[in-house]
Amino acid sequence: MSAGTRTPEDRAGRRVLSAALFASAPAEVLDFLLPLWAGSVLGAGASAVGALIAFEAVLSLIVRPLAGELADRFDQRRVAAAGAGLYALSFAGYALAGSLVGAFVAAGLGGAGGALFWVGLRAWTGQRSQGGGGDGTAAYGRLLSAEGQGAFVGYLVAFSLLERGGYPLLFWLGSAACAVAAASLLRGPRRERDAGAPRAVAGLREGRGAAERRLLPLMAVSAVTAAAEAGLWMLLLLRLQSHLELSPDEIALVFAPGFVVFVLLPAHAHRLTGRLGRTPAMVASFAASALFAAGLSVVSTPPAVAVLWTVAAACFAVQVPVEQAAVAAASGGRTGRAMGLYESARLAGVVIGPLVMGVLYEEAGWAAACGAAAVTSAVGALVVPYAVRALGLPERRTDGEGEGDTGGREAARPRAVAESALGPKARARKERRDWYVHTAVFALGQAVLWVLDSSWLVWQITDGGVPDDQRGPLVWAGRIWLTIWVVDTVWSWSYTLRPREKKPKPSA
């Protein structure tokens, strides 16, 4: 098979990443818009808004184990497609809702849809990566990166159209995006489970509760640390707004560098974790999170917060794919059930964390809240080696490397081998083709920003700077995008100016 030929598995993987991007765009923005919409359009008070958000989160928490069972019994992509369909109905419900009753119905559909969609997608990713003989970290990293890209696009669209079209337009666009995600997942063969079955763990199919018992320590660590992270994130937003008196645009600028790192790093972090192993990578991530929380208690300037947040975002980008890959590898063949329980544990932490941290902040202050988050992450760093050992997995197992089966190892490297086998000229051609696509998207995006009078590049060329009354989230987003495009240009064309090929990894 030539390096440029795409197998059905490659096409299926691309469709899954596309679905993640389309669905995550409106889903991420909804977390930001829902309180604003409910308060301004429906006239809901703080308690009603809180109940609406809690209803969606709790329902999603309840449905996640069921979603895992469905993912083990049926085609995972179809389960995820059903979730995307419910997502689409949910956004349509928000667009049509004229009362809190309609909003609660839409929230219920969204909670159930999110559970089916994300558990199905992550179970599919884990099953396919295990079937290929790898540990899945790279696959989960690409999935997380697609989610981040979707969130970036979603916020860009939301900031562009909210004032022009109002909430109904955004909700209908969200419904359409989720419908596209569902259609993407429904394409291809109806059932691929046999082809992607995790043969590497076929001998680990234990009784119904054995795999869950092995996963329990890791899920406990993930739940507790997720609670601390979610609570600290909420408090940090409030502190930037109230104590530092930053505007929403200025707050966005503080988090922009970390957000870019979170979008770009996950797809490449597996190279680091493959060398270090699961335990050192996760310990380092938790330790850095502890330093981030402790650092927030002593620094107050926006640039310092931006630096700390960028480091924390890099840690999350490494930690989350490793955790998800470890859960899939230790599932004993029941990837859906294991992923459903893991997702439930993290979501429970996200629901409880802001409540607990909010009470601590009100009673003991900012430094105490940061200290509690730092201690929680530090404890996670101490406990995670035990949690990983309880999984019974090999410490190092990079994508494409099986265990004790040379033939299987050689057959399980389609993507990595195809790229590393490219000669210098073929590699240069591939990089140029990718750059052409990236540049076309960049030019289209800049044209849209120019029409909206929000292109930093156009303002610099025509006026030498951006007027104060034109500064906003779209301007800084365009500036960050320009920086990424420049870096991508230099990197891509370096292969043409100095042809070279990837050095293949030494065989074990």
Side-chain angles (χ1 to χ4, degrees), residues 180-469:
V180 171
S184 178
L185 291 168
L186 290 173
R187 294 176 60 192
R190 182 165 182 79
R191 189 172 181 88
E192 299 180 347
R193 289 173 56 81
D194 294 337
R199 295 183 179 88
V201 295
L204 295 178
R205 292 182 179 273
E206 306 105 333
R208 186 175 181 85
E212 287 82 349
R213 286 193 294 272
R214 292 207 313 272
L215 289 167
L216 185 59
L218 181 60
M219 288 192 293
V221 172
S222 298
V224 174
T225 54
E229 292 161 2
L232 188 62
W233 166 260
M234 178 196 70
L235 295 179
L236 179 58
L237 287 174
L238 295 176
R239 184 172 177 82
L240 291 174
Q241 183 182 49
S242 59
H243 291 266
L244 300 185
E245 299 182 345
L246 299 185
S247 67
D249 293 350
E250 292 170 330
I251 293 175
L253 285 175
V254 171
F255 292 118
F259 186 74
V260 172
V261 168
F262 190 76
V263 170
L264 297 179
L265 184 60
H268 307 284
H270 67 279
R271 296 186 177 93
L272 174 64
T273 58
R275 289 188 175 91
L276 295 179
R278 292 184 178 91
T279 301
M282 294 180 69
V283 168
S285 177
F286 283 122
S289 295
L291 292 176
F292 163 69
L296 287 178
S297 65
V298 297
V299 302
S300 58
T301 63
V305 174
V307 171
L308 287 174
W309 172 246
T310 301
V311 173
C315 295
F316 298 150
V318 172
Q319 170 194 337
V320 173
V322 173
E323 281 188 358
Q324 293 175 346
V327 170
S331 64
R334 297 174 59 87
T335 312
R337 178 174 175 80
M339 198 58 63
L341 294 174
Y342 166 78
E343 291 272 319
S344 296
R346 284 194 62 86
L347 183 57
V350 171
V351 171
I352 296 173
L355 176 62
V356 175
M357 293 289 284
V359 172
L360 180 61
Y361 174 70
E362 292 178 349
E363 296 295 331
W366 170 249
C370 291
V375 170
T376 301
S377 295
V379 172
L382 296 175
V383 175
V384 78
Y386 163 75
V388 174
R389 283 197 302 270
L391 299 177
L393 299 175
E395 182 56 41
R396 287 182 178 84
R397 185 179 169 202
T398 58
D399 284 350
E401 293 179 9
E403 295 178 57
D405 182 1
T406 304
R409 184 168 62 234
E410 294 300 324
R413 303 181 181 179
R415 180 165 183 167
V417 171
E419 290 192 0
S420 62
L422 291 177
K425 292 183 177 180
R427 179 75 185 181
R429 283 195 300 271
K430 179 183 181 301
E431 294 292 337
R432 289 196 300 270
R433 286 195 301 268
D434 291 344
W435 180 82
Y436 294 144
V437 174
H438 299 165
T439 300
V441 175
F442 171 76
L444 179 61
Q446 290 298 320
V448 172
L449 292 175
W450 172 64
V451 171
L452 298 173
D453 286 332
S454 298
S455 173
W456 181 87
L457 180 60
V458 172
W459 280 115
Q460 290 294 327
I461 294 174
T462 57
D463 286 26
V466 182
D468 291 339
D469 60 345

Side-chain angles (χ1 to χ4, degrees), residues 155-180:
Y155 280 112
L156 189 64
V157 172
F159 281 124
S160 303
L161 300 180
L162 181 58
E163 293 185 358
R164 293 170 172 82
Y167 292 105
L169 175 61
L170 292 183
F171 288 143
W172 283 119
L173 287 176
S175 179
C178 293
V180 171

